[in-house]
Every structure is written in structure tokens, then in C-alpha cells.
Amino acid sequence: MCGIFGAIARGNAPLRHPDALPRMAAALRHRGPDGERIVGHERARIGARRLAIMDLTTGDQPFQSPDGSIWMVCNGEIYNAPELRRQASVPDWRYPFRSNGDIETIVPFYERFGPDAVARLDGMFGLAVWDDARRRLVLARDRAGEKPLFWTEVDGELRFASEIQALLEFPDQPRRLNQQALSLYRALGYVPAPHTMFDGIHKLPPASLLVAEDDRITIRTYWSAAAAASTPSTLSESGTDRLRDTLLRAVRRELMSDVPLGVFTSGGLDSSFLVAAAARSIPGERIHTYAVRFTEPGYDESAYAESVTHDIATVHHVVTADDDALTRALEVVSQALAEPLGDPAVLPTWLLADAARKHVKVILSGEGADELFGGYPTYLGHKYAEQWQRIPRPFRSIVGWAADRWPSSTGKMTLEYMLKQFLAASGRAWTERHLTWLGAQAIADGVLAELACKLNGFPHDDPLNRVMWFDYLTYLPDDLLVKVDRATMLASVEARAPFLDREVMELVLPAPSRLKVRGLTTKAILKQAARGLVPDRVIDRRKRGLSVPVARWLNTGLAALADRVLDTPLLAEHRSGRRNHARRLWPQLMLALWSERWGVEIR
């Protein structure tokens, strides 16, 4: 795991700011505290900060081809590296590897197949290859978008980095606000690829390949989620053994490590499955597990997580997220992230990672399970929204009138909150309804049009699956995976998401929604597959998710900060108790703090 960076002059002139490369490395030190190396010449330089996970002695990056013409850096892990290494070691190939790890396998495959080599990689990665002989730069991201990669072109220089702040180390990098990204953030609470909040800085989308050669920059996909979702499904209600075996293989692949590892656990189905699968894969080894304990009544689920660890003997750690700890996390995160993220769960995630780094360098996390298997309560809302609209209007009006007078609660996913959310948007088109349920405040027509394009190529015959695919393409890579990557990397810990293994995704994406959401049961087929591996009490417990008591916090410990940076009537209504606007206010708070930190005026 690394932070990667570089700068390439597209013409024959030397790099204008070669002294910025060491500053880029320093800006990414948290992603790789174990070493730094930069290679290149006056027209091209690339480098990496290393977090040593695999091949601790010979795995320093960048890697170079034997003749020195190809340089490569990669942030991530290549899970099919053993097979790639075997292929590159046959008699008519015999690549002279200098390391024993996974990352160097990219170099011989690029030598033989060029940019198309990326499609042969299974793993999580953001990578860069500089082909000095061809003066070609290749950038790529993994299929789901677990690892980030940003790029920009300024006056004929193409620059890239794992995080935006490294690009801001160049004195000629503009810090202009991207108005389109601002509209998207205000609607979603995050900025979807390819946009960033900085005009001219781009986020490479998941499963994408950028090739800069001659005078052209082309971006194309090397893997298609739409194509995967369009294939005939091979899963059925009786196919739970196949699903379980596929998931167990994914966990075994992602346990690849030369350092200790652990699991973030909430006591819910996804993380409990990972704990059980890891324990089965490495019997006799005590796995570290980490759970967060909230002091706010109704938010704490640490007892459920601890209960699971009694069934599966782990070394369990509980991290307290009281107001002081969350305030500390807010200070760290708001100062470090060069892109605003309106998901408050980044705070306890950082607290968990900060505690985990005392014992482990690798963490398994359950991201992707909800989007692939239908785990969110919103999916139930979509399922029954049309039925609700068929109920006579007078009855619906009475229910709406009564719900409007139900006192607002600051609790976690209360019945009152969910009912009000359902009624507020159940009559809208599904995209607008879905965004409203996720907390969107200002949904411009342009936002809806841009997001709708992401589903081009996906089947139309399963409306509920289209909602899940929508989340898989937007909320998952640009919110959840950003949250996990930035929070863990700020603590110099690597997170892996076995549910986003390529084999798992290609098996589950085309499966019909009736296997995922059955009646009022979410994740139905995953729950069947988990029987016998995970305790029944975990499988049958209602999903709660990792939530932060933001509603109460805005009125207490964060009241002074909110008063200073928020200028909206929503805050007064929230304070009055008439409405719980926490989901709308928190992204605005994070946007204001981002603006202050990076000196970008919000207009």
C-alpha cells in the first residue's frame, strides 16, 4: 500500500517545478510512512510513499523494467499476483523479478500487453506506468473504486497523485471552485467521479484507464459493471452454497499479508461474516477485531460486536466515540481531506483505524455488501412506494398530517424519522425519491441528468436492482470507499473489502432483486449463505449501520461551530426540534470547513 504521485512533461521542455515532487511525497506521508523513493529525469518523475504490507524487504517502489525504460508505481494489492507471477516465469518469458511481492507483477504484463494488461489484474489499486521509450503515461483504478487516483494537466504537464493535496503542492495549480461539482455535492453530500471540487483536477473513475501519449489523452473503461449485470444470472434461491464458497475464496485472497491484520466489526451480518470467514481461513491465528462504542443512547452497538467475538475467539478492542473523541476526529479529518465528504461516519472510522494501527496494518471491512445484496432500508421504501401511492389520497393526507406533528427525535434511524422520510418523497420519480431519502437538499435537473447517465447499458427490467446498481456506481465508490480509504490511510492502515472481489461482483451484480430483497427481508440470499457460519441472532437482527449522533451534537458540542459556519434556516428549525435536519446540515458544515482549510470561496 502506498501513496503514489508523479509529473510528466508532455513536450520536450523540462519539468517546471521538479522541487514539488518531494513536497508531493510529504503530503502523502500518511499513506506510506515506511519509505519514500522518486525516480526519473528532467521531463518525467514518479514516486511512492510506502506502507509495507507485502514483501517487506525487497518491495520498495517504483519498480522498473530490466532495461530501465518502464517505471511503475501502484497503491493497492494485486490478489491474483501468484498466478501472474507463474505466467511470467514460464520458459519463453522468465521475467527477472527483483522482489517477492505482488506489485512488481504489473511490469512484465505491461511490457507484453501494454495498457491492456490492466484488465488482467484482480485487486484494489490505483496505478501509474510511465513508458519512457514511447513517452506514454498510463493511469488506472480498480473495478469498484477502492483506491483513489487524481490527475490534472497544467500548461502541458500531466500530474497525478493518490490524493488531491499532493497536486496542490505545485505553485501553478489553480484553486478555482468547480461549480458543477458544488451542485453535485449539495445534492449528494459527496462529489462523484470524474469531478472534484477543484476546477481542472479530475478523479479517475473506477474501472478506468487513462492513456496519455503523443498529444492525446484518452480515458476508457477496461471492465464494465453494466456488462456484468447484463449477463444471465447463475444464482438461485438454492445456490447459497456457491455464494458462500465464492465469498470464502474472496476473504482468503484478501488475507494476503506479511503483517498482522484485523476486522472492523459492528456485530452486524457483513462484518460478522468477514470475522467468521477469516477465522476459518487462518485457523489457529487470533484475529484482531475493532468495534466503536458510542456514549449516546440508541447509537451504541458495541455489545453486539463483542457478542460475536465470543462465538469466534478474537482479540477484541472497543474504541469509545464520545464527544471529545469525535471532536478530535473532526479536527483531524477536516484538516486532512482536500475533498469535502458529508458522511459523518468517517469520524468513528478514523477512530477505529487510529486504534487499530497499534496492532495491525491491514483491516477487512464490509463495504459493498449493502449495494450488492440489497441491505439498505431505502430499498424497502422503493419496493412499497408505488403501493402507498395507490392508497386513497384522503387517507395518505391524514397519515401525513399526523406524522408532521410527531415530535422530532435525535435518535438513530427511529420509526418517526423513517416514516417522515418515506412520506416526504414516496410520490416522486425514483431517482429524486432516492436522493431525498439519502438527505439531498438541492437537486438540480442537471444533477439528475448526469447521475441517470451512469445507468446507461444496465438492464431495465428490474427496477429495484437499478436502485442498487445506482448506489453501487455512485454512493459506494464516491462516499463509502472514500470514507474508508481516507480514514484508514490517515492512520496508515490499509483497508480491504472482500465483498468487492471481482468474482463476487460478477456473481451478484446480475442476480435478480427478488433474491436480495424478499418481503421485508433485506440481503436475503446473503443471510441464507451465512447460516451455519454466523450466529442466527446476528443474521436476524435489524440493520442499523454506523451512525454518529450528529442531530444532538449540532445542538450541543458543535453548536458554536455550526452557528459560525452555517447560514441556513434549516439550522433554526433543527434546533427547535420540529425537524431533524442532521443529514442536510452535516454536509454543509463539512463544505464550510473545507472552504476555510483550502482557501476556496463558496459562491
Side-chain angles (χ1 to χ4, degrees):
M1 181 61 65
C2 298
I4 65 173
F5 53 93
I8 307 297
R10 305 291 303 284
N12 294 319
L15 294 170
R16 292 189 301 279
H17 303 285
D19 56 322
L21 273 293
R23 295 198 300 272
M24 295 179 86
L28 297 174
R29 189 182 188 282
H30 55 282
R31 298 189 73 92
D34 297 331
E36 173 188 322
R37 187 166 175 254
I38 300 171
V39 301
H41 49 61
E42 65 174 5
R43 295 191 307 277
R45 293 177 185 268
I46 70 172
R49 289 285 325 188
R50 188 182 186 207
L51 177 64
I53 302 291
M54 296 289 297
D55 188 21
L56 305 185
T57 57
T58 64
D60 290 340
Q61 299 186 48
F63 283 104
Q64 294 175 271
S65 60
D67 65 0
S69 66
I70 295 168
W71 319 336
M72 186 274 302
V73 286
C74 179
N75 163 32
E77 307 292 344
I78 308 302
Y79 300 128
N80 65 333
E83 174 57 27
L84 297 179
R85 184 177 286 265
R86 283 192 292 272
Q87 292 178 35
S89 301
V90 296
D92 65 342
W93 199 338
R94 293 198 186 282
Y95 184 82
F97 289 102
R98 73 163 172 84
S99 73
N100 300 311
D102 58 309
I103 297 301
E104 191 184 5
T105 56
I106 298 168
V107 178
F109 277 82
Y110 174 82
E111 280 191 306
R112 180 160 289 199
F113 301 106
D116 291 338
V118 173
R120 297 170 180 264
L121 307 179
D122 288 344
M124 59 172 192
F125 53 82
L127 65 83
V129 176
W130 171 246
D131 188 331
D132 202 46
R134 296 178 176 85
R135 297 190 57 77
R136 174 199 288 162
L137 178 68
V138 176
L139 304 179
R141 278 184 80 194
D142 63 77
R143 291 167 178 80
E146 289 187 65
K147 293 293 105 183
L149 195 55
F150 299 89
W151 67 279
T152 186
E153 187 176 24
V154 178
D155 293 334
E157 286 188 11
L158 200 153
R159 303 157 183 170
F160 66 89
S162 292
E163 293 187 33
I164 292 173
Q165 58 264 41
L167 299 174
L168 299 178
E169 292 296 331
F170 286 86
D172 57 355
Q173 176 63 52
R175 297 197 182 194
R176 296 187 300 265
L177 180 68
N178 181 336
Q179 292 292 339
Q180 187 175 7
L182 178 62
S183 295
L184 288 162
Y185 179 86
R186 283 175 167 162
L188 304 171
Y190 57 87
V191 180
H195 307 286
T196 75
M197 292 293 280
F198 292 94
D199 192 27
I201 297 180
H202 315 282
K203 184 186 304 179
L204 190 65
S208 291
L209 187 67
L210 179 151
V211 179
E213 189 173 14
D214 299 325
D215 295 327
R216 299 188 306 276
I217 296 177
T218 59
I219 299 176
R220 60 180 172 86
T221 58
Y222 64 86
W223 179 85
S224 168
S230 300
T231 60
S233 175
T234 57
L235 270 182
S236 64
E237 293 184 18
S238 59
T240 54
D241 287 346
R242 182 185 177 196
L243 175 59
R244 183 190 299 112
D245 291 343
T246 301
L247 289 168
L248 289 173
R249 282 196 299 274
V251 172
R252 282 196 297 272
R253 276 190 289 270
E254 302 201 14
L255 289 173
M256 177 179 74
S257 174
D258 292 334
V259 295
L261 54 87
V263 182
F264 286 165
T265 179
S266 64
L269 172 62
D270 308 338
S271 59
S272 298
F273 186 96
L274 295 181
V275 174
R280 174 176 289 195
S281 299
I282 45 176
E285 183 170 331
R286 296 294 298 278
I287 298 166
H288 289 265
T289 51
Y290 300 85
V292 65
R293 182 180 70 85
F294 288 100
T295 55
E296 179 86 358
Y299 281 79
D300 183 43
E301 297 189 314
S302 58
Y304 297 113
E306 188 170 1
S307 173
V308 171
T309 67
H310 292 318
D311 295 270
I312 308 162
T314 70
V315 182
H316 190 57
H317 311 267
V318 178
V319 180
T320 299
D322 55 17
D323 279 9
D324 289 342
L326 289 171
T327 299
R328 179 169 63 96
L330 177 60
E331 291 172 354
V332 170
V333 168
S334 62
Q335 289 298 301
L337 298 191
E339 53 182 331
L341 182 63
D343 188 342
V346 69
L347 305 184
T349 304
W350 178 79
L351 291 173
L352 286 170
D354 190 49
R357 69 175 170 179
K358 300 178 179 67
H359 318 103
V360 303
K361 278 191 174 183
V362 177
I363 281 289
L364 300 187
S365 187
E367 270 63 37
D370 287 312
E371 293 77 14
L372 289 173
F373 292 99
Y376 294 125
T378 49
Y379 301 147
L380 294 176
H382 285 292
K383 185 175 180 178
Y384 293 109
E386 291 186 8
Q387 296 180 30
W388 172 252
Q389 292 304 308
R390 289 195 290 268
I391 293 176
R393 183 183 296 273
F395 180 78
R396 285 186 282 127
S397 298
I398 292 171
V399 172
W401 178 87
D404 193 53
R405 281 151 184 78
W406 195 344
S408 179
S409 167
T410 60
K412 176 180 179 179
M413 294 298 289
T414 62
L415 177 61
E416 167 266 329
Y417 177 79
M418 289 191 291
L419 178 61
K420 287 180 179 178
Q421 287 287 94
F422 178 82
L423 295 175
S426 59
R428 302 179 185 180
W430 78 263
T431 48
E432 188 176 359
R433 179 170 70 216
H434 191 62
L435 294 177
T436 301
W437 285 343
L438 292 178
Q441 180 177 352
I443 309 174
D445 290 341
V447 170
L448 291 174
E450 175 162 344
L451 295 178
C453 290
K454 291 183 178 289
L455 285 172
N456 288 347
F458 282 84
H460 288 264
D461 59 345
D462 193 330
L464 189 55
N465 246 350
R466 287 180 68 83
V467 182
M468 297 179 210
W469 293 329
F470 180 83
D471 283 343
Y472 170 86
L473 295 169
T474 57
Y475 180 56
L476 174 65
D478 293 317
D479 182 311
L480 297 183
L481 294 177
V482 171
K483 171 197 71 178
V484 172
D485 174 79
R486 304 306 187 275
T488 54
M489 284 280 88
L490 276 174
S492 302
V493 174
E494 174 182 294
R496 301 175 181 175
F499 288 107
L500 295 176
D501 179 269
R502 177 184 180 178
E503 186 183 7
V504 176
M505 292 191 296
E506 291 181 344
L507 178 65
V508 180
L509 278 170
S513 63
R514 67 177 183 276
L515 297 182
K516 305 168 186 179
V517 180
R518 190 177 304 145
L520 293 175
T521 301
T522 56
K523 294 185 189 170
I525 195 167
L526 179 59
K527 290 177 178 179
Q528 287 178 246
R531 298 282 179 191
L533 194 64
V534 174
D536 286 351
R537 67 181 183 280
V538 174
I539 295 172
D540 297 330
R541 188 165 68 87
R542 182 169 71 90
K543 178 180 175 61
R544 298 294 296 272
L546 181 60
S547 300
V548 178
V550 169
R552 189 267 309 158
W553 201 18
L554 286 169
N555 292 341
T556 54
L558 286 186
L561 177 63
D563 287 340
R564 180 175 69 81
V565 303
L566 294 180
D567 181 18
T568 171
L570 290 177
L571 183 59
E573 191 173 41
H574 180 82
R575 292 267 173 83
S576 72
R578 289 190 57 239
R579 284 285 190 278
N580 180 352
H581 289 306
R583 280 198 174 189
R584 296 182 176 185
L585 291 170
W586 185 263
Q588 293 185 44
L589 178 75
M590 295 304 291
L591 178 63
L593 294 176
W594 172 83
S595 173
E596 287 186 350
R597 169 64 179 86
W598 300 102
V600 181
E601 182 182 357
I602 303 296
R603 302 185 299 278

